[in-house]
Amino acid sequence: MNNRTPLMAGNWKMNLDHLEANHLVQGLAMALSDAGHDYSKCEVLVIPPFTDIRSVQTVVEADNLDIKYGAQDVSIHDNGAYTGEISTDMLTKLGCSYVVMGHSERREYHGESDELVGAKARKVLDAGMTPILCCGEALEIRKAGTHVDFVLGQIRAALAGWSAEDVAKIVIAYEPIWAIGTGETATAEDAQEVCGAIRAALREDFGDATADSTRILYGGSAKPANIKELMAQADIDGALVGGASLKADSFAEMARFYA
Ligand code: PEP
């Protein structure tokens, strides 16, 4: 037993316009309330595209919902001539509490390095939000059996020079790339192997208090059918969910893994 609050985070990616976003958040709130969800047993987070955040904020505030929301990426710059970018200040003003960085799709399609990912995490933490730092290996690396070293290398590079206190405030999401959006979930043992190794590395680098309080999520085709088994693993504190977070009922069911 540990005192880390589980987190179910829905990464909507580039899906749903602002009207559909309203609909999904209302449906999710309703499904959770009908089922008697206890938010102290699992925090619920939605991560919509930037253009939906204001709408989500309006629903959450108007209905006084316990659902949290955040962003899928952020700039490392404060303001100015950075066409297309969004600052931490813009996100905090919209009430975002979490920001994802280093998702494999951004690493692959936008060439994001571990150093950039680390700088984004620092920026987000300094702005008072919680970074969700993604890591994960491609299929070739998994096949070569070097996945644990690869993932620890990504995290160590991103968090180089960080204090133990700051690392304790972030969330790490382990997402094997071969399991994202493919329907192929890592087995609970595969996921635990890497999440356990991440916690052991945090213990070695930053000490017991940080290792014991940093939340580590699994992501990659997590769904209602496998969430209980994943959440039963010692070092998995929640999930970063893509496809299954786009349906209110399935995502609500996942948040209620404990029931
Ligand atoms: C993700 O993109 O973070 C993800 C885990 O997607 P899916 O659940 O669809 O595999």
Side-chain angles (χ1 to χ4, degrees), residues 140-151:
E140 312 80 78
I141 295 173
R142 163 71 53 168
K143 282 187 175 153
T146 51
H147 49 286
V148 170
D149 283 349
F150 178 84
V151 168

Side-chain angles (χ1 to χ4, degrees), residues 11 13 103 105 134 175 179-183 218-222 240-244:
N11 173 17
K13 310 194 188 194
H103 191 282
E105 288 151 16
C134 299
E175 300 205 300
I180 296 180
T182 57
Y218 165 76
S221 300
L240 184 54
V241 185

Side-chain angles (χ1 to χ4, degrees), residues 30-71:
M30 189 109 52
L32 288 166
S33 141
D34 286 352
H37 180 60
D38 180 348
Y39 285 85
S40 71
K41 295 207 169 121
C42 182
E43 219 179 309
V44 180
L45 168 68
V46 295
I47 310 170
F50 289 130
T51 50
D52 296 357
I53 295 176
R54 175 68 178 143
S55 308
V56 170
Q57 177 190 33
T58 305
V59 174
V60 166
E61 289 183 356
D63 296 346
N64 206 12
L65 304 178
D66 288 320
I67 293 172
K68 301 205 171 122
Y69 55 91

Side-chain angles (χ1 to χ4, degrees), residues 4-196:
R4 300 184 292 272
T5 305
L7 173 64
M8 209 53 65
N11 173 17
W12 295 1
K13 310 194 188 194
M14 196 172 72
N15 292 297
L16 309 184
D17 63 32
H18 70 289
L19 299 174
E20 293 164 329
N22 277 356
H23 191 69
L24 180 52
V25 173
Q26 278 163 343
L28 179 60
M30 189 109 52
L32 288 166
S33 141
D34 286 352
H37 180 60
D38 180 348
Y39 285 85
S40 71
K41 295 207 169 121
C42 182
E43 219 179 309
V44 180
L45 168 68
V46 295
I47 310 170
F50 289 130
T51 50
D52 296 357
I53 295 176
R54 175 68 178 143
S55 308
V56 170
Q57 177 190 33
T58 305
V59 174
V60 166
E61 289 183 356
D63 296 346
N64 206 12
L65 304 178
D66 288 320
I67 293 172
K68 301 205 171 122
Y69 55 91
Q72 298 172 17
D73 186 36
V74 73
S75 175
I76 53 165
H77 302 290
D78 288 331
N79 52 50
Y82 299 102
T83 302
E85 299 216 19
I86 299 288
S87 71
T88 49
D89 195 34
M90 293 167 180
L91 298 178
T92 51
K93 293 235 165 65
L94 287 170
C96 288
S97 41
Y98 289 83
V99 181
V100 172
M101 68 277 313
H103 191 282
S104 60
E105 288 151 16
R106 294 217 51 94
R107 291 178 188 261
E108 183 179 350
Y109 307 135
H110 301 273
E112 296 198 356
S113 64
D114 292 327
E115 290 65 30
L116 179 65
V117 169
K120 288 184 177 187
R122 161 62 44 210
K123 196 86 193 152
V124 165
L125 195 66
D126 289 348
M129 297 178 286
T130 302
I132 301 181
L133 175 65
C134 299
C135 54
E137 81 285 358
L139 190 57
E140 312 80 78
I141 295 173
R142 163 71 53 168
K143 282 187 175 153
T146 51
H147 49 286
V148 170
D149 283 349
F150 178 84
V151 168
L152 297 186
Q154 284 183 315
I155 295 171
R156 284 185 160 131
L159 299 180
W162 281 50
S163 69
E165 292 70 30
D166 284 350
V167 174
K169 293 179 196 149
I170 75 168
V171 172
I172 294 175
Y174 167 59
E175 300 205 300
I177 298 171
W178 47 273
I180 296 180
T182 57
E184 186 160 341
T185 325
T187 63
E189 293 72 32
D190 288 339
Q192 167 58 28
E193 180 202 20
V194 181
C195 292

